[in-house]
């Protein structure tokens, strides 16, 4: 009977060790990898900037980028004006899920999609699909 108790105790010790190691790895993952995932906001602003530059040179096609936001991202008319220097008319359009828009902003809520921007006739249109 003594040998069986020793074997059961060893299994319990190893089980506790593996659970502690699992939770340690999970905590390291969440604190270093998840929190260090870069925001797609710079990519979004670069896409809008490219659409503005293309529209100013007479190219009226859309400039698009695939985005997978990790949380909530809001793009505002003021942000486009301050960071990109565009003072014209801005229109936000949501054609896909995970997006809400008003006249002055667009909020993307954690769903993957495609963000497109187009400058045509002095109006910058930002579309989420």
């Amino acid at each position: 009977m003594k040998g069986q108790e020793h074997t059961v105790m060893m299994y319990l010790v190893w089980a506790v060790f593996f659970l502690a190691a699992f939770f340690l790895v999970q905590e390291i993952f969440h604190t270093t990898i998840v929190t260090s995932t870069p925001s797609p906001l710079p990519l979004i602003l670069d896409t809008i900037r490219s659409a503005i530059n293309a529209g100013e040179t007479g190219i009226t096609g859309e400039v698009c980028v695939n985005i997978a936001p990790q949380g909530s991202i809001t793009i505002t008319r003021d942000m486009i004006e301050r960071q990109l220097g565009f003072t014209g008319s801005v229109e936000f359009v949501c054609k896909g899920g995970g997006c809400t828009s008003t006249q002055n902003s667009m909020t993307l809520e954690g769903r993957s999609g495609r963000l497109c921007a187009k400058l045509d006739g002095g109006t910058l249109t930002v579309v989420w699909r």
Side-chain angles (χ1 to χ4, degrees):
M1 194 68 162
K2 184 98 170 151
Q4 290 175 344
E5 290 174 359
H6 179 70
T7 303
V8 170
M9 282 302 289
M10 288 305 295
Y11 285 145
L12 288 174
V13 168
W14 280 108
V16 169
F17 171 75
F18 283 120
L19 281 174
F22 172 76
F23 286 115
L24 178 67
V25 168
Q26 186 177 14
E27 185 64 28
I28 290 170
F29 173 78
H30 283 291
T31 57
T32 58
I33 294 175
V34 172
T35 57
S36 66
T37 302
S39 169
L41 188 58
L43 183 60
I44 291 170
L45 292 175
D46 285 344
T47 303
I48 295 171
R49 181 182 295 115
S50 295
I52 292 168
N53 292 341
E56 289 173 347
T57 60
I59 301 170
T60 58
E62 288 186 331
V63 179
C64 298
V65 64
N66 292 327
I67 299 289
Q70 297 296 320
S72 178
I73 296 174
T74 301
I75 308 159
T76 64
R77 187 179 302 235
D78 183 52
M79 182 186 300
I80 292 172
E81 183 177 329
R82 280 185 294 113
Q83 296 188 17
L84 304 179
F86 182 75
T87 58
S89 175
V90 180
E91 180 180 324
F92 296 105
V93 180
C94 292
K95 291 186 176 180
C99 173
T100 55
S101 65
T102 64
Q103 288 183 339
N104 295 318
S105 68
M106 172 184 279
T107 302
L108 308 176
E109 295 287 340
R111 283 185 69 183
S112 297
R114 188 169 183 85
L115 182 103
C116 296
K118 177 180 178 179
L119 179 62
D120 191 17
T123 300
L124 175 66
T125 305
V126 180
V127 181
W128 176 256
R129 295 187 177 107

